Amino acid sequence: MFRYSMFTLVSVGHDAAFHYNRFLILMEALKNGTFPTYIDSQAIDNYGYASNLFYPNFTFIPFALIGNLIGVFRAYQLMYFVFTLLTGQLTYLSVYKVFKNKYTAYISAILYTFCLYRLQDYFERAAIAEAITFTFLPIVFWGLYEVIKGDCRKWYILTIGYSLFILTHLLSTLLLSIIVTVTLLIFVKDFIKEPKRILYLILAGCFTVLCSAIFLFPFFEQTISDSFNYETFSSYPFVRIAAKELPKALLSYSFLPSIGITLILPLITRFFISEKDKMIRSIDLFSIAAFLIIIYTSDLLPLFLYPNYIFGRTQFIWRLFEFSSFLLALSCGYYVTNYLKGNTKSFFFLSGIIFLLFASIYLNSMPYKHAKWGITNLPERGTSNNFFLGFADNIEYLPIPTTVNNLVERGNVISKKHADTDIYNIKRSRSKIVFEINTIHNEIIELPLTYYKGYYAYNNKETIDIQKSKNGLIEIPINTSGFVQVKFEGTFIQKNSLYITLIAFLTLTIYAFRRKMFNKIQS
């Protein structure tokens, strides 16, 4: 994974600058003591952009802390490496806990950790948030197994995996929720047979919400309070894979998106397994489910099977390849293990798989081998360059009807209703504006601050109302002359949701530890 990171570049790829900017904002907030931070005050000519209210950054936190010590480049590279290592470790642990076979766990972990779509997410799309969710999918799988078939008192495993998903990438969580819902419907008989499993599932769901409070609560508070540009995406066309391109999507290393030959070739071993036990049939269903998901990402099926209000927001339906890759890695791990059982040629077979993985990684890295382009520095922070912010002019998390072009044309000025009103001694610091005003009118002032919930305004130290202007900016009524201060202080929910998350995770930790100790005493 380190092979891809140029020593003077953070990353190359489609979304590199957007996520790199989020990382920098978090580093700054941790350094200056404003964490949790929600507003990038320097974005869009200092109008401010609340990407962190809509895009979780929880899994960035440890690396942003380290970044303030060792520098952003090394910290970013370290994040790539650590999450790769964790993906392998957690996949091994989860698969072993479910299948009780270390060889299946080893092979599945290797195939999944270095599957081609994950590499593409990291280094071609540079979609670091989506790529990080690969790390937590195995935990969700293990947790689901415990709730549905295993020891349902281990519901907290599902909570941990699902919470980390939510705290990393919301669109991936949306797709995960669809997959989980379908899975629960398939195994509804298990819940009817043992109703207590329903209670543990509800408990897992409730704690997932609490553990994700640091992001979910401010997110819902903000979305309920106003309408934002991303909502219009629900009517946008989404991207499916053309049917004629499916062979490339399965086998090619250079096609985006790709499952890759490393997850397809080992499936051949299934035809050499004569056993027909219950486990083999279950694994076959995993393989079938993986290919059904792949087919669903193509344009082979009629469009009415794809609710636009869901998939329009995901933009690329082939994000589902994350789940196909995991299911195929599980299947391949189990098939290969069974095929090699008692086979003296196992060393050569496994060596072949490893060779294919290295070949796939090498070939996929060729476009970056002599790359002279990448993210060395962002466009100067505070400028109107919005490349790192989102989707074109109507960037996603601006309130409707605000656009970047409108803000740039307006300029970084304070507007007023009456010409004889005098505004002077204007000062700015982060998401804060202070000025003095002299007026004989009931004045309406529009500030160069994007309207988000969490701003507060004071006139001569008395609180005044904040409204959203027709331009999507902060607007305040001024009835008396004096000193005016407008700043982002955060709502009660924004200030305290962090503590809910910490308490919930602490409670889970204590519960899991006490249960483990109780089991040891019993044994």
Side-chain angles (χ1 to χ4, degrees):
M1 298 298 282
F2 195 79
R3 156 73 180 83
Y4 284 52
S5 298
M6 312 300 175
F7 290 103
T8 56
L9 306 177
V10 169
S11 178
V12 291
H14 308 159
D15 296 340
F18 173 74
H19 293 294
Y20 180 49
N21 187 65
R22 293 200 305 126
F23 194 82
L24 278 177
I25 297 168
L26 185 58
M27 283 178 58
E28 291 171 4
L30 291 167
K31 187 175 182 178
N32 60 38
T34 58
F35 177 84
T37 183
Y38 296 106
I39 304 292
D40 177 6
S41 58
Q42 296 182 38
I44 322 175
D45 278 343
N46 296 306
Y47 273 85
Y49 186 56
S51 55
N52 287 334
L53 275 169
F54 301 88
Y55 215 118
N57 60 10
F58 184 82
T59 47
F60 280 8
I61 292 174
F63 303 97
L65 282 167
I66 294 171
N68 284 320
L69 298 175
I70 66 174
V72 62
F73 293 132
R74 291 187 180 91
Y76 213 76
Q77 291 173 334
L78 180 65
M79 181 167 63
Y80 275 42
F81 182 81
V82 168
F83 278 117
T84 299
L85 189 64
L86 283 174
T87 301
Q89 294 287 347
L90 293 175
T91 304
Y92 173 82
L93 175 65
S94 301
V95 176
Y96 179 75
K97 291 291 185 180
V98 174
F99 294 110
K100 305 296 189 294
N101 187 304
K102 65 180 181 179
Y103 296 109
T104 298
Y106 274 131
I107 296 170
S108 298
I110 292 170
L111 290 173
Y112 178 63
T113 301
F114 298 103
C115 68
L116 187 53
Y117 183 63
R118 183 174 176 275
L119 296 177
Q120 290 176 329
D121 254 1
Y122 267 107
F123 304 113
E124 188 167 350
R125 297 182 61 222
I128 183 67
E130 183 178 330
I132 290 173
T133 62
F134 276 74
T135 306
F136 311 124
L137 182 55
I139 307 176
V140 175
F141 166 74
W142 176 19
L144 265 180
Y145 166 78
E146 297 293 0
V147 170
I148 296 172
K149 293 284 189 181
D151 183 356
C152 52
R153 290 171 297 179
K154 294 181 179 179
W155 56 270
Y156 54 86
I157 297 170
L158 178 59
T159 292
I160 292 170
Y162 218 111
S163 299
L164 290 170
F165 235 92
I166 294 171
L167 294 172
T168 302
H169 193 233
L170 210 54
L171 290 181
S172 294
T173 304
L174 172 63
L175 297 177
L176 174 68
S177 299
I178 296 171
I179 298 291
V180 168
T181 301
V182 172
T183 302
L184 293 174
L185 290 174
I186 291 172
F187 291 99
V188 69
K189 288 183 178 179
D190 292 272
F191 293 100
I192 295 173
K193 185 178 179 181
E194 294 184 79
K196 68 177 182 179
R197 294 187 181 275
I198 299 175
L199 297 177
Y200 283 113
L201 180 63
I202 293 172
L203 185 61
C206 291
F207 262 87
T208 296
V209 172
L210 295 176
C211 287
S212 310
I214 187 175
F215 169 73
L216 280 185
F217 289 5
F219 169 75
F220 284 123
E221 179 189 36
Q222 198 70 214
T223 54
I224 291 170
S225 72
D226 201 359
S227 298
F228 299 89
N229 285 333
Y230 75 88
E231 296 173 36
T232 63
F233 290 6
S234 60
S235 61
Y236 282 25
F238 50 86
V239 179
R240 293 191 290 172
I241 301 170
K244 64 180 180 180
E245 304 285 3
L246 274 178
K248 290 182 181 178
L250 288 173
L251 302 172
S252 175
Y253 69 86
S254 60
F255 182 79
L256 178 66
S258 289
I259 292 294
I261 196 170
T262 55
L263 288 178
I264 300 299
L265 195 60
L267 293 175
I268 296 173
T269 56
R270 174 63 183 92
F271 298 104
F272 299 95
I273 300 172
S274 57
E275 298 176 18
K276 299 293 182 181
D277 62 9
K278 186 177 179 180
M279 183 58 73
I280 282 289
R281 288 195 295 270
S282 297
I283 299 300
D284 289 344
L285 291 177
F286 284 169
S287 300
I288 293 169
F291 280 103
L292 287 176
I293 292 172
I294 293 169
I295 292 171
Y296 190 73
T297 63
S298 73
D299 60 6
L300 283 171
L301 302 176
L303 201 56
F304 74 84
L305 293 175
Y306 304 82
N308 207 80
Y309 64 89
I310 294 178
F311 294 112
R313 297 185 184 188
T314 64
Q315 301 169 326
F316 313 110
I317 194 172
W318 38 258
R319 294 180 194 269
L320 286 165
F321 272 23
E322 175 178 353
F323 307 97
S324 291
S325 296
F326 180 68
L327 291 172
L328 287 174
L330 285 178
S331 301
C332 290
Y334 193 84
Y335 293 151
V336 170
T337 300
N338 274 266
Y339 172 72
L340 296 179
K341 193 163 48 179
N343 192 329
T344 56
K345 297 180 180 179
S346 59
F347 172 79
F348 299 101
F349 192 89
L350 290 175
S351 298
I353 290 177
I354 299 298
F355 173 79
L356 283 174
L357 283 169
F358 275 106
S360 178
I361 293 169
Y362 177 76
L363 291 171
N364 189 246
S365 72
M366 290 303 287
Y368 310 105
K369 187 174 182 181
H370 302 293
K372 301 297 182 184
W373 46 278
I375 306 304
T376 53
N377 290 294
L378 284 172
E380 184 181 347
R381 285 171 58 69
T383 68
S384 59
N385 190 317
N386 65 303
F387 170 67
F388 56 89
L389 295 179
F391 189 82
D393 186 31
N394 299 322
I395 54 179
E396 295 169 81
Y397 310 127
L398 284 178
I400 295 173
T402 312
T403 66
V404 171
N405 286 339
N406 288 343
L407 298 184
V408 172
E409 289 175 8
R410 180 186 182 279
N412 204 322
V413 298
I414 299 176
S415 66
K416 55 191 179 181
K417 185 178 179 181
H418 300 93
D420 58 348
T421 295
D422 189 19
I423 297 174
Y424 55 98
N425 288 341
I426 302 170
K427 297 178 182 178
R428 297 200 62 161
S429 175
R430 298 196 185 104
S431 299
K432 177 181 177 181
I433 294 180
V434 296
F435 59 90
E436 293 184 62
I437 186 169
N438 187 12
T439 182
I440 58 174
H441 308 283
N442 290 334
E443 186 63 83
I444 299 295
I445 302 296
E446 186 185 59
L447 300 165
L449 292 173
T450 313
Y451 178 84
Y452 293 108
K453 199 172 182 64
Y455 276 99
Y456 290 84
Y458 306 90
N459 185 7
N460 296 324
K461 297 185 178 180
E462 292 185 6
T463 304
I464 54 178
D465 292 332
I466 285 181
Q467 300 172 343
K468 176 183 174 183
S469 74
K470 64 179 181 180
N471 297 315
L473 304 178
I474 287 177
E475 189 175 79
I476 55 175
I478 301 291
N479 301 324
T480 59
S481 299
F483 180 77
V484 178
Q485 181 177 223
V486 180
K487 57 183 176 178
F488 188 88
E489 296 179 352
T491 65
F492 177 82
I493 290 176
Q494 290 167 355
K495 291 176 182 177
N496 294 284
S497 56
L498 167 63
Y499 303 111
I500 298 174
T501 290
L502 292 175
I503 292 169
F505 267 116
L506 180 62
T507 303
L508 274 184
T509 303
I510 293 171
Y511 174 84
F513 178 77
R514 290 188 64 179
R515 190 177 177 282
K516 186 175 181 180
M517 293 302 296
F518 178 75
N519 289 341
K520 283 185 176 181
I521 292 171
Q522 278 192 323
S523 61

